[in-house]
Amino acid sequence: MQTVIKNPRNGCGLHGAVQTVQEIKGVVPIVHSNAGCAVSNYLANQASGLGNGFVSGYSIPGTDVQERHVIFGGASRLREQIKNTLKVVEGELYIVLNSCESAMVGDDIDAMTREAQEQGESVIDSLIAGFHGDSHYGYENVLADIIRKLPEVKKTEGEKIENLVNIFGILPQKDIYFKGDLEEIKRILEGIGLKVNTFFGYTDGVQELVQAPGAALNLVFSKWGIKAAKELERLYGIQSLVYTSVPTGIREVREFVNELTEKLSLDEERAQHFLQQEEENFRYYFRGIAESFFQEHIGKKVAIVGDESNVIRYASYLKEYLGAIVETAVVTDFFPSEEFTQSAKTEQLKGIAKQVHFSQDGTEINKILRHSDVELLLASSLEDEVAEKKGILNFTVSYPVYEKAILNKSHVGIRGALTFTEDFITKVKESNRIREKALEKVI
């Protein structure tokens, strides 16, 4: 029996694929669906203040499937849309994405894609109907499909590129700080002598996808990046290092850098010099807020809601660096069939948080939070209401987020850890002022 998820925070598989593709510079999505599929994704992200990608929103080419296409098939409509898109939208790579309607009807999307390829066009497809999974599923599968099918239209560079690494597992849009986080990880890796493919942002795009088979190593920062990394390993023999989350804080970054230095035989002197500078920078700014630890009592009891990798990262940093007590952790990105009791990552989280829950249901999450003895939430905007009812503040760190405009802020690495510390103490101070004013009224 299927369960109903109330107030869900994750879109469908098609939404995840669109969110991913539109953030790769030079890639144009062609959505074979009704008019609402891509638009609903766009409206959700607009409300979250996450901005637009290369070709996104109302400018995404689509077939606008009607009832007649569902009844008689829409392959000819797709053929027409591919031709029109190639004429009017300039791109380096075009990706046809299917939908629930086209999947159920059984339109031969591969045939339409092959027709375009035979005419010399850079068109591939990724058959990710929305009902197959949520937006995380869309991310991992569209990247795996691109890696597998790109050689059909682009000459991938098979020669190895010294010290090149590919980054996977930081999801566009779903990780609300993904742009800044990728920039910070890239800055750290380049600081120790590596070349970096992030695939997203203003510097990376189709050319980085072409270069990916030449990498020396894949770096995977959540379970959602494993599938794409395995595809590169299967096709090109590229090994992967898989982490539970992105390193955040000086100790975590040092361990991360030391492992890479040994794995890729990097210049150890350069790496240690870089780490020394980063540590001095971290400690300098951290000392500046030392008094706040005692004056503001920042060791609050908190609850965290979000994707597994982010929950682990925030919980670890709060406990180790800020002295906070993680009373409750709620992980929202999972498939019901997963065996979490056997997950090493789950055991890691249980060692940090007093209570660990797994839920995608808004009603259930609110119930968990209502019964949690906490002073501050780190969650999404969907938890604003329960925070208000509890009389505490919600520090939004996960998708969706409605009250922020986000450009390139980061909460990972070294600089991102300092930014998070700054944001967290600001929220604690705000919470303390509200509590003080409430007490003044009572007195």
Side-chain angles (χ1 to χ4, degrees):
M1 180 177 179
Q2 297 297 315
T3 57
V4 176
I5 299 175
K6 297 182 179 180
N7 208 12
R9 67 200 61 225
N10 300 318
C12 69
L14 174 60
H15 288 172
V18 171
Q19 289 171 356
T20 302
V21 170
Q22 70 181 18
E23 294 294 343
I24 305 174
K25 187 171 64 176
V27 178
V28 178
I30 302 174
V31 180
H32 186 33
S33 71
N34 64 53
C37 286
V39 172
S40 62
N41 173 67
Y42 165 70
L43 294 175
N45 287 334
Q46 279 297 97
S48 295
L50 299 177
N52 300 321
F54 177 68
V55 176
S56 59
Y58 296 118
S59 63
I60 291 180
T63 53
D64 188 15
V65 169
Q66 305 294 315
E67 288 182 2
R68 64 181 181 275
H69 301 125
V70 174
I71 296 170
F72 300 108
S76 60
R77 175 69 191 94
L78 177 58
R79 177 191 289 117
E80 177 187 17
Q81 186 59 52
I82 293 173
K83 290 179 179 178
N84 290 339
T85 302
L86 291 168
K87 289 178 183 177
V88 300
V89 184
E90 183 177 356
E92 299 175 59
L93 179 67
Y94 299 82
I95 299 182
V96 179
L97 303 172
N98 74 331
S99 63
C100 298
E101 295 95 338
S102 56
M104 289 188 292
V105 171
D107 285 343
D108 194 347
I109 293 175
D110 282 334
M112 299 300 100
T113 303
R114 286 194 300 273
E115 279 187 15
Q117 291 177 358
E118 289 168 359
Q119 295 168 15
E121 304 292 352
S122 296
V123 182
I124 60 175
D125 58 49
S126 183
L127 306 184
I128 303 171
F131 54 69
H132 284 153
D134 69 7
S135 49
H136 302 84
Y137 173 92
Y139 164 83
E140 66 172 356
N141 280 278
V142 78
L143 277 185
D145 285 343
I146 291 172
I147 289 167
R148 183 170 60 255
K149 297 181 179 182
L150 193 60
E152 297 173 5
V153 295
K154 299 281 185 183
K155 186 179 184 304
T156 53
E157 300 176 9
E159 294 183 5
K160 292 298 179 183
I161 302 173
E162 186 178 7
N163 292 340
L164 175 66
V165 294
N166 298 317
I167 304 296
F168 296 108
I170 300 177
L171 282 65
Q173 307 287 349
K174 285 301 298 176
D175 290 335
I176 62 174
Y177 299 121
F178 81 97
K179 293 177 183 176
D181 289 349
L182 286 171
E183 288 179 9
E184 172 64 0
I185 289 299
K186 187 170 186 177
R187 184 189 69 84
I188 291 171
L189 295 174
E190 289 180 342
I192 62 173
L194 291 171
K195 304 179 186 72
V196 185
N197 280 341
T198 66
F199 308 114
F200 307 102
Y202 69 95
T203 59
D204 288 16
V206 174
Q207 183 56 34
E208 281 63 41
L209 290 170
V210 171
Q211 292 176 349
L217 194 65
N218 298 316
L219 300 178
V220 183
F221 294 112
S222 76
K223 61 187 177 185
W224 303 110
I226 293 174
K227 188 165 187 174
K230 282 187 174 180
E231 200 64 27
L232 282 170
E233 181 178 358
R234 181 180 70 85
L235 294 172
Y236 307 103
I238 304 173
Q239 293 184 341
S240 301
L241 290 180
V242 180
Y243 301 90
T244 57
S245 61
V246 185
T248 301
I250 191 63
R251 181 182 63 80
E252 290 76 10
V253 170
R254 179 174 288 280
E255 291 175 356
F256 172 63
V257 166
N258 287 339
E259 182 178 18
L260 287 180
T261 301
E262 181 179 354
K263 181 78 173 178
L264 297 175
S265 301
L266 301 178
D267 184 336
E268 187 169 350
E269 184 176 346
R270 174 176 177 172
Q272 294 307 314
H273 177 70
F274 174 81
L275 285 171
Q276 183 179 354
Q277 288 183 313
E278 292 294 296
E279 185 166 354
E280 289 176 2
N281 175 278
F282 185 80
R283 294 188 184 283
Y284 171 78
Y285 287 106
F286 218 81
R287 280 195 298 269
I289 49 90
E291 290 186 1
S292 295
F293 279 68
F294 308 103
Q295 293 176 348
E296 299 294 338
H297 179 51
I298 69 170
K300 300 293 185 183
K301 292 187 290 184
V302 304
I304 308 174
V305 180
D307 285 2
E308 183 182 60
S309 61
N310 289 332
V311 169
I312 289 173
R313 174 167 53 83
Y314 283 120
S316 300
Y317 188 84
L318 283 167
K319 181 178 180 180
E320 180 169 348
Y321 291 88
L322 302 181
I325 301 169
V326 184
E327 289 282 342
T328 305
V330 183
V331 175
T332 59
D333 60 324
F334 68 96
F335 293 124
S337 61
E338 287 187 88
E339 292 293 336
F340 288 103
T341 55
Q342 303 300 319
S343 169
K345 285 178 277 191
T346 302
E347 293 305 315
Q348 177 187 355
L349 191 52
K350 286 181 177 178
I352 303 169
K354 290 186 177 181
Q355 300 178 46
V356 181
H357 302 271
F358 299 90
S359 179
Q360 298 173 340
D361 185 275
T363 301
E364 184 179 2
I365 291 171
N366 284 346
K367 182 178 179 181
I368 292 168
L369 296 176
R370 283 200 307 270
H371 291 87
S372 296
D373 179 22
V374 296
E375 301 167 278
L376 185 66
L377 293 186
L378 283 79
S380 76
S381 291
L382 297 178
E383 283 67 57
D384 283 346
E385 184 177 350
V386 69
E388 184 177 354
K389 288 180 178 179
K390 288 177 70 68
I392 62 177
L393 294 182
N394 180 21
F395 175 16
T396 48
V397 296
S398 59
Y399 184 92
V401 52
Y402 299 142
E403 75 282 6
K404 296 179 181 178
I406 302 171
L407 297 178
N408 67 339
K409 175 179 277 191
S410 172
H411 277 174
V412 305
I414 301 296
R415 295 180 180 177
L418 291 172
T419 300
F420 172 73
T421 301
E422 185 180 85
D423 290 345
F424 181 78
I425 293 177
T426 299
K427 188 62 71 171
V428 168
K429 284 187 173 184
E430 184 182 352
S431 177
N432 289 344
R433 298 297 89 80
I434 292 173
R435 187 174 291 107
E436 288 170 5
K437 289 181 179 179
L439 289 173
E440 288 174 1
K441 290 181 179 179
V442 173
I443 295 172

